[in-house]
Each structure stands twice: as C-alpha cells, then as structure tokens.
Amino acid sequence: MSAGGSDGTADRPADLAAEGECPEQAGSSLPAVEVPRKRKGDVEERSGTHGQHSVDFQKDDDRSRSEGEDQQVKMKCFREPHRQIEKRRRDKMNTLIDELAAMIPACQPMARKLDKLTVLRKAVQHLKALKAGTGSAFTDTTFKPSILSHDDLKHLLLRAVDGFLLVVSCDRAKILFISESVSKILNLSRLELTGQSLFDFIHPKDINKVKEQLSSSEYPRQCLIDAATGVQVQVDAPARPPLLSTGARRSFFCRLKHSRVAGKQDKHFLPCTSKKKDTSRYCTLHCTGYMRSCPSSQLDSEGDSEMESSDLSCLVTVCRLLTPMSHQPPKELTIRPSEFVTRWAIDGKFTFVEQQATTVIGYLPQEVLGTSCYEYFHQDDLLHLADKHRQVLRSKEKIETRCYKFKTKYGSYVSLQSQWFSFTNPWTKEVEFIVSSNQVISGPGHTKDEEAGNSKALQEDTKQIPIIPSLSSGLGTMIYAGSIGTQIANELMDSYRMNSSPSSRACSPFGPTQEKCPQVSPQTSTSASSREEASGSSSQSQCDSRTAAGTSSATSESLAAVSRININPIQGEPSQLDLDLVPGLSSFSSDEAAMAVIMSLLETDVNMGQSEDFEDLHWPF
Amino acid sequence: MTANKEKRRVISRDAARRRRQVESEVFVDLSRLLPFQQSVQDHLDKPSVIRLTLSYIRMHTLLKGKTGIKVEASHAVKCGQVMESGQEWRGCDRGRDDEEKKTDNVEASEETNMFLRILEGFLMVLSTEGDMIYLSDNVSKYMGLTQTELMGHNIFEYTHPCDHEEIRNNLRLTAEEVWCGAKRDFIMRIKGALTHRGRSSNLKSATWKVLHCQGRAKVCVAPSSVSCLLLTCQPLPLSHTLLSTHTFTSQHSMDMRFTYCDQRMTLLLGYSTEELLGRSIYDLCHILDTNCLTKNHLNLCFKSQSVSGQYRMLVRGGGYVWVESHSAVIPSVRPSKSRPGAHQPLCILCVTYVLSGVEEPSLQLSLDQAVHRYLR
C-alpha cells in the first residue's frame, strides 16, 4: 500500500478491503506485542494512541470467531469492531489536531474550536515561519536534515550529560582533542588542556590505572568478561586491536584536577577526593570509550619530525561527571513499610519499644523508655493524638490514629500511622497499658494530605525550625508535651477513683490547677499560630492575645482566671499539677516556669469548652 | 424521488472526495516542511505527520529560551579535529565567515555524533506527561525503531509496566527542581526490536531491553513555561571491557552473598576469597550506604541489570574505599542445550570499580575490622 493511496482509502469506511488491514506505514503501525492488555501503569485511554493495538486484538478475536461461523455472521462481526476501529482512529486524529492547535500561537486566541483543515493550514504557516527564523540549516542539502540543528542538539546533550569528549594519544597521554564543555566541568579552558599531557591533571594515585587503560597491545593481561558465563577470559594480546571492536572498549574511573574558580564545583565532590597535602581539588569522572588507530601524519602541527608516519593509537572517550545521587533514599521504591510495636503506660510513657523501631525513629529503645510519647509528636498532631489517647483509654476497641509525625533522633520527622489498643486488667478493671502498633507512611502514592504532610516535614528538615523557639531545650519540650500524657492519665485515674468512691471527692486547694485538656503547648506566638492552623477554633485568637500580652501582665489575669476555673462547674475534679513528676521543671527559674504553666493552663481552659467530648468523661455530676 | 436521492448522494460523495483531496494536499505540504529526507516524508501517514510536527514545534519552544549558544571560536589556536569517517587529522584556524560557519556546523555535528557514539546511547527529551518529544536519530541502533516511528509517542507505551511508577516519579518535577536542573538517574526496561545480531526486527518480537537513563530537568520560561527531562539512555553492556587492576569481579547469589570473587579483591581490599564466601555484601559496606545497595539489589531483582552509584566498601583492618558496581543477573550455569526450557538458577555478576584509595585507614566501622586489626 503506497502512502498516497492509503491516505485516501483509510478514510473511506465503505472499503472493506482496507478495513481488515492494519496500515503498514512507518510510524503508525504498532502491531500486537507480548504486552498484557491490562496494564498496571498510567496508560492513556485505548481510544487514543492505543487504537492500533486494539485493531489487532479485535482482528484476532474476529478471526477465531469467524472460523466456525458462516459468512453473514462474519460480516457482522467485522463491521461491529470496524466501527470502533474507525471511531478510535478519528478520536486519535482529533486529539492530535487539538494538541497541534494548542501548540500553534495563531490558533490559540480563537474562542471556538477550529476545524481540522484550518489548524493544518496554520501549522503549515507556522512551520514555514520557524524555518525562516532558523536560517539555512535545513535548506542546506549537504547535511542530513534533522529536527534539531546541530548546535541545539549539542546544547541539549551537554545539558543532559555533565561531560566532555576527550581524545588522548596512547604513548604519551597527550590530549589531542577535548571538547568545549570541559570548561564547565573542570573550570579549565580548552586551550589550557589541549596538547598537554593528561597525567599532569590526573590524581597521582590514578596515574597507573590510566596508564593501564591507555596501553593497547603491550599490556600483558587483557581481562575480558564473557557475559554469558561471567568468567574472566584471558585473551592473548592481539598484535593490534581492531578498530572499534568490543575488545577495544575501555571503561574506567579517574580523578581529574579542577580549578576552584567557580565555587559551585564543590558540590560535585565525593568526600574522598581532596588530598590534604595537595592544594588542588579533584572530581571523579567515569570515562568510557574506545581505542582507535589513526594515521599520525598530520598529528602534530609543531612539525615534530621525529614522528613517524605509523599509525598511532589513541583513546577516544566521553568523560562524565559522577552524579552523587546514590546517597539519597530511594523515594520511588515501594518497600513494605516498616512496622514496629511499642507499649506505653496510660500517661504515654514508653514502657517497651521494639528493636526495629530504631531504624525508623533513630533512637535506641533504651533512649526512649520512660519518656513520654508526646515529646516526639509533632505540635500539629498533639490535639488529635491526645484525643485518641483519651479515646483509647476508655474504649475496648482498637483506635486508629490518622497519619502523624514523629520526631526522630536527628530532628527530622517520620510519618506514622498507628493502631492503639488498651489492655485492661481483668481484676482491677483498670487500664494497665496501651499497645501501639505503628506503620511508617512514606513515599508517594498516598493521599494528598499525607503528601503535603510529608513535604512539609521535609521542608522542616531543611529549615530546621525548632519546635519551641524560646524554650528550645529538650527540657522545655518535656514540660509541656510530657505533661499532656500525665494529665490524661490523671483524668483516667480520677475517673476510676470517682467511680469507685464518689464520696471521696475532695476539692483541691487553690493554686495552679491542672486542666483536663490536652491542649497544652508552649505559649510562644509561633506555636500559638500554628495551633491556630491546626485546630482552627476561634478561641485561639484569645490565646494569642493573652500570650501577646506578655507574661508580666498576665499575672493578675491568671489569678483571676484561675479563680474562675474553680467556680466553673465543667471542671470537675481538678487535681494537683504535680510538678515533681515532670522532671527538669525545677531547674527553671520558678517564676518563669510557674507563669508558663499557668499560661498554658489558661489556654487549655478556653479550648476545653469548645473541643471536649463530654460523653466519654465521667463527670462528677 | 430516487433519482434526486441518487443525485444528492453523488454530489455529497464528490464533495467529500474533494474535501479529502484538499486535506491530503495540506498533509503533504506539512510533511514536506518537516526536516526529514524526502523518502521518509513520503512514507509518513497522517497521524505521524501531526505527531512529528508537534515534536518539531515543541522542541523549538523548548529551545527558544536559550540564547543562541554557538560553538566558541578559538581564534589563534590550532586544534586537532577528529572526523568520523576517514582517519584524517585537521588543524583549523577559525575565522568567522560563512565558510567557517559551515565548518562550525560540520564540527558541531561531528562532535555530537562522535559523542553519541562513544557514549553508546541516545538522547531523549521527555515531557512531564511522558511524551518522547525528541529522540536523537541513533535511537534505531538501540531500540530497533526509528526516530520517526517513536518521536511524539508516549514513553509509557514502550516501557515495562512495572517500571511505570518509577518513571512517573522521575518525571515529577517541582518548580524548584526544574530551576536547579535537578538530576535524574534511573534504570528502566524498554521494548527493543533488535535481533541478537543487531538487526531491526519488528515490534511483534520485541524483547525488554534495560536502559540506564541519566540526565537533568530543563525549563523554558517564555512564552509558556515548559519543563521537560533531558536524558541520555544507555544500554548496559557488561562484556568485553578491559578491566584494570583497580577493578574486580565477584559473583553473588540472589541475596547478595558472595559465591566467588577474584584475586584482585584481595589486593584491593585485603579480604581473601575464603573469608568472603557466604557473606553478604551488606556486611562489607558502610552502614550509611545501605540505601544505595538496596536500590541496586532491587534493580537487579526486577530489571536484571543495575548501576550502583558510589558507595563505600570496608577494607580489612580499617577504613574504606569508594567503589561503584555495575551488575547483572546471569544464569549461574551454562544454559544446557539438552534441557532448554529448564529453570535456570541465577546469580549476580558484579564488576566493581575502585574509585579512591583507602580512606581513613584507622577508622573501625565494623566488628570484623577490629578483629582483623588485632589478629594481624
């Protein structure tokens, strides 16, 4: 089928002769391959570019069906899928026309969709304009026409490959040719390098290595690998290696000197490359290429008369800078997510941590035992996790948390999702401990929220924002975060006590009271504002104004507030804030610490009113 | 009545034929404008013409951003020039007249051709949706399909389904990454329609070919923001390379335990073969490079070939060396002709290049090193 003819016939649906065939033209035919029909990947709709694939599948179906059937049915079966074939072909064409219209500036401002012919005509005009713009490169008949001009291709190639072309002679390692791009990589100009000996620029320890690679036939041990068996094959050195034979292939790594003019170069270093005595810096390159033999008659323009007109061997290589990418964790690998189990007491303090946890959180088990899990939770998650904590203490079922961030030893965050389950002592009917089964959520392919969470975590890594700017010591964290767990636990204990003996309720003395709300957080403006984002409740603005007021003015306020707290019937039984239980608090100046605690309590008071889930709590009324 | 109907039918048929004629003519015009040889132009069908036009326009849009980077003229210096055909050497003094421009073009083309040949790979420009906007013309040597057949199609049609996710992840570019020209380095399987002898067959008998893709992101800001990935794709040959004394080979079972290593390993790292047999490579490497090794191992299991990137191997007695491994999965026994369909046990063959000297020889990073040091 000639091209001209088929263009016509392909569009004529009535022509049965044509419809059965798959057009055998360059570029359009994609006959069936051993590819499963159901693809896992993100494959475009079959009506698009897969039209041709389906043609053959349909044909195969048709063939098998028609074998046992009569002519009429055969025709019907042919027409049915044929309509679909045609439809697919038309859809594909329409899609292509649309894409073309999108790319052509002349077609874009049109409000309504242009018809096929107009788009094609505009495309012709556009191409003519492009060709006029680029000059004579394409009309030059001496060159093979190509989509890109050679300069463009070169530019793209060099952009993709951080490398340069190098030709060295084998006997003295004289640089015969080096491409322009070397200036980008080594910061040495082409002029400086051409004609020099390569050994002047190589790291001293690599000189022998390169010498080996340059020697052609004289090298006694030519070790090749036979890929079929993996066995090394000792080859008797041939008299002269043939041009571009696979035996003449060379591949090696070497370190080349480079100048420090552009500071950027430092990034490309492997840590091993700088020698302390030598002030020059080196970068590692991967050189691959071939040995070639070339007549040396016109080699030296200096007119070296000693040069015989014998053939000279040289090594033609592409030297490519190594990308230090390997140390990044493979984001794209979907390894089974790590899981580990931890156990904590009712106040959130770790009592058991599985060994595997270390690979995830960085801490060894002994480092976290006894510390409260709240110290590791990210601020934004405190509210929701404390909520779940309360829930799990009162429920007999597994509570699943949302994805949250857990601080690792190195300060970065890892996303986890956990199932919590409380174990109740069957005799005392009290919760003994909580078992937490944690999975690491990482990598792409998750919901947008989690991804956003991940990227946020990464941003935080890079910026290294401490959680509590003003009280950034670990102790500071402990005061507030740790006490959340203690509070929740105390609530529970109280509820037990109250349930067992309602008469034993006692009023707590006036003093710094403890709120039964998990919303304890340091009162810095940054944290308050981030909590604002997290919970979004309007009470936050009140907190902000309070925190903004400063600690000194808050004293009177706090006292008044505290008195209000006592009266507030919702409070139930406040219990002592047992400062001794929170380690490290005493090391702070008492005023500051007390003020800080009071402020946090006040904030939590306000939040309590909004976010408390009253049903679960055993209120004493 | 029927005569009228008949007449109308004829008229409409003629009109349709004329329309199709006009359309075909426009298509021919368009194909003539495409920068391909006449013979190629004549054989393009309509969708291909549009596909290639799209590629052409997209490439120009992409490259518009660059400010005409021309080959630098080095005026007074004579330089050697290697020509691809023939074995001539030519020193050239570069002027700037038209004749020289032409020579520049010649040089540029030769240089890029040589570059691509020595690199043993082809250039691919991928849009963020995976469309292969541009492929250098030597792609036919590696994939068996020509530039015109492939350009404009989507890469997901030609790659192994299991690799699609990895490819998509690599195509995902944030704005920051594009601006910095973020680098990409991954391995994928692509359909190759080449016979053993290197001749093109058709897609029906395509087999999977493993390609190592390396490159970076590129953006063009005006007129519209277009970002894409520039990649060089190289197959991974393992055979027939002259190995230096700074390279050693080793064989492993599929779980990366040593089953064999050559004597150069002893010279370079100090371990004897007996010491290593049965030990896992993960034990021998710096703990922080586990990620790198894992990725390498997984690539081998799924794609059967891999390039590891740089990692550290511990030296007996203390310290480490930087290495890079090129590995492949091969049958561990020679495939027998008597039982061709039998299941072949597989093993991993690694060629490891040592990149550096021994770093920090007194540093003990594993228990083994401590033991060896004191038991010397």
Side-chain angles (χ1 to χ4, degrees), chain B residues 151-218:
Chain B
M151 232 163 58
H153 281 295
N154 194 285
I155 197 170
F156 292 116
E157 294 167 37
Y158 291 89
T159 49
H160 197 288
C162 295
D163 297 340
H164 285 183
E165 186 160 351
E166 188 176 352
I167 297 172
R168 238 176 287 127
N169 291 335
N170 278 296
L171 284 174
R172 198 172 297 160
L173 293 166
T174 64
E176 194 195 340
E177 281 177 324
V178 181
W179 273 110
C180 299
K183 295 194 149 193
R184 290 286 184 261
D185 188 328
F186 60 95
I187 293 182
M188 68 180 183
R189 284 165 286 183
I190 206 165
K191 285 182 209 167
L194 287 172
T195 60
H196 279 299
R197 300 226 189 101
R199 274 188 245 128
S200 296
S201 62
N202 62 15
L203 213 49
K204 272 207 180 89
S205 50
T207 52
W208 294 114
K209 193 167 181 138
V210 181
L211 287 180
H212 182 203
C213 304
Q214 294 170 276
R216 47 162 31 116
K218 177 165 169 64

Side-chain angles (χ1 to χ4, degrees), chain A residues 475-493:
Chain A
L475 296 173
T477 328
M478 266 161 37
I479 297 175
Y480 303 103
S483 55
I484 302 173
T486 326
Q487 287 161 13
I488 297 182
N490 287 334
E491 269 173 36
L492 187 70
M493 298 309 298

Side-chain angles (χ1 to χ4, degrees), chain A residues 3-4 7 120 124, chain B residues 20-34 38 41-42 44 46 49:
Chain A
D7 278 351
L120 290 171
V124 171
Chain B
R20 270 195 294 273
Q21 197 90 11
V22 170
E23 194 182 282
S24 297
E25 279 170 25
V26 179
F27 266 107
V28 171
D29 285 343
L30 199 54
S31 65
R32 289 275 173 270
L33 286 169
L34 289 174
Q38 182 97 4
Q41 286 169 347
D42 290 340
L44 294 173
K46 287 180 186 173
V49 170

Side-chain angles (χ1 to χ4, degrees), chain B residues 224-257:
Chain B
S224 58
S225 178
V226 171
S227 57
C228 65
L229 214 53
L230 303 174
L231 296 171
T232 54
C233 305
Q234 301 164 276
L236 295 170
L238 205 56
S239 60
H240 308 304
T241 307
L242 177 70
L243 297 180
S244 74
T245 49
H246 289 76
T247 315
F248 61 90
T249 56
S250 53
Q251 279 192 15
H252 306 253
S253 54
M254 290 307 287
D255 60 358
M256 291 302 271
R257 284 182 197 275

Side-chain angles (χ1 to χ4, degrees), chain A residues 149-162:
Chain A
S149 72
H150 301 297
D151 278 348
D152 287 338
L153 180 57
K154 187 171 167 183
H155 166 75
L156 285 183
L157 203 51
L158 292 176
R159 193 88 185 104
V161 177
D162 280 332

Side-chain angles (χ1 to χ4, degrees), chain B residues 24-313:
Chain B
S24 297
E25 279 170 25
V26 179
F27 266 107
V28 171
D29 285 343
L30 199 54
S31 65
R32 289 275 173 270
L33 286 169
L34 289 174
F36 295 112
Q37 282 165 343
Q38 182 97 4
S39 50
V40 176
Q41 286 169 347
D42 290 340
H43 287 101
L44 294 173
D45 72 334
K46 287 180 186 173
S48 299
V49 170
I50 302 187
R51 210 171 15 94
L52 293 169
T53 312
L54 270 170
S55 274
Y56 186 51
I57 297 177
R58 283 171 102 167
M59 283 313 288
H60 274 267
T61 315
L62 193 70
L63 290 168
K64 238 197 261 180
K66 93 174 154 81
T67 53
I69 296 172
K70 297 279 178 216
V71 174
E72 302 280 299
S74 52
H75 295 274
V77 174
K78 294 173 186 170
C79 49
Q81 183 85 9
V82 179
M83 289 191 58
E84 194 182 297
S85 49
Q87 304 296 321
E88 295 171 350
W89 287 82
R90 184 180 68 177
C92 58
D93 226 3
R94 315 246 221 137
R96 281 275 90 196
D97 56 0
D98 267 344
E99 192 55 43
E100 293 306 321
K101 264 199 193 153
K102 217 178 188 180
T103 324
D104 280 351
N105 247 337
V106 174
E107 285 167 11
S109 82
E110 280 163 8
E111 196 176 311
T112 48
N113 283 334
M114 172 123 290
F115 205 98
L116 283 172
R117 264 183 84 178
I118 301 289
L119 195 66
E120 293 175 322
F122 58 92
L123 182 69
M124 187 193 293
V125 180
L126 276 180
S127 76
T128 43
E129 282 87 47
D131 294 323
M132 298 186 284
I133 310 176
Y134 177 77
L135 295 162
S136 59
D137 46 20
N138 61 343
V139 64
S140 50
K141 204 170 135 196
Y142 302 101
M143 277 181 70
L145 300 165
T146 64
Q147 189 189 33
T148 46
E149 282 176 324
L150 288 171
M151 232 163 58
H153 281 295
N154 194 285
I155 197 170
F156 292 116
E157 294 167 37
Y158 291 89
T159 49
H160 197 288
C162 295
D163 297 340
H164 285 183
E165 186 160 351
E166 188 176 352
I167 297 172
R168 238 176 287 127
N169 291 335
N170 278 296
L171 284 174
R172 198 172 297 160
L173 293 166
T174 64
E176 194 195 340
E177 281 177 324
V178 181
W179 273 110
C180 299
K183 295 194 149 193
R184 290 286 184 261
D185 188 328
F186 60 95
I187 293 182
M188 68 180 183
R189 284 165 286 183
I190 206 165
K191 285 182 209 167
L194 287 172
T195 60
H196 279 299
R197 300 226 189 101
R199 274 188 245 128
S200 296
S201 62
N202 62 15
L203 213 49
K204 272 207 180 89
S205 50
T207 52
W208 294 114
K209 193 167 181 138
V210 181
L211 287 180
H212 182 203
C213 304
Q214 294 170 276
R216 47 162 31 116
K218 177 165 169 64
V219 71
C220 160
V221 181
S224 58
S225 178
V226 171
S227 57
C228 65
L229 214 53
L230 303 174
L231 296 171
T232 54
C233 305
Q234 301 164 276
L236 295 170
L238 205 56
S239 60
H240 308 304
T241 307
L242 177 70
L243 297 180
S244 74
T245 49
H246 289 76
T247 315
F248 61 90
T249 56
S250 53
Q251 279 192 15
H252 306 253
S253 54
M254 290 307 287
D255 60 358
M256 291 302 271
R257 284 182 197 275
F258 281 89
T259 54
Y260 164 79
C261 63
D262 73 29
Q263 323 101 295
R264 279 184 293 220
M265 165 72 123
T266 319
L267 292 168
L268 293 164
L269 293 170
Y271 300 103
S272 68
T273 314
E274 300 80 51
E275 276 182 298
L276 290 177
L277 292 181
R279 296 197 62 190
S280 164
I281 202 173
Y282 290 95
D283 290 338
L284 278 178
C285 300
H286 200 289
I287 196 81
L288 291 177
D289 293 329
T290 316
N291 275 335
C292 174
L293 285 175
T294 311
K295 183 174 177 183
N296 191 44
H297 196 179
L298 282 167
N299 271 342
L300 281 170
C301 292
F302 292 130
K303 300 165 197 167
S304 83
Q305 280 189 287
S306 178
V307 174
S308 71
Q310 301 95 55
Y311 63 99
R312 286 158 284 194
M313 264 195 147

Side-chain angles (χ1 to χ4, degrees), chain A residues 100 110 125-126 247 263 309 319 359 365 441 454 460 497 507 560:
Chain A
L100 193 58
M110 301 291 160
Q125 287 171 7
H126 189 67
S309 54
C319 301
T359 56
I441 312 281
N454 278 344
E460 277 171 308
R497 256 179 272 139
C507 285

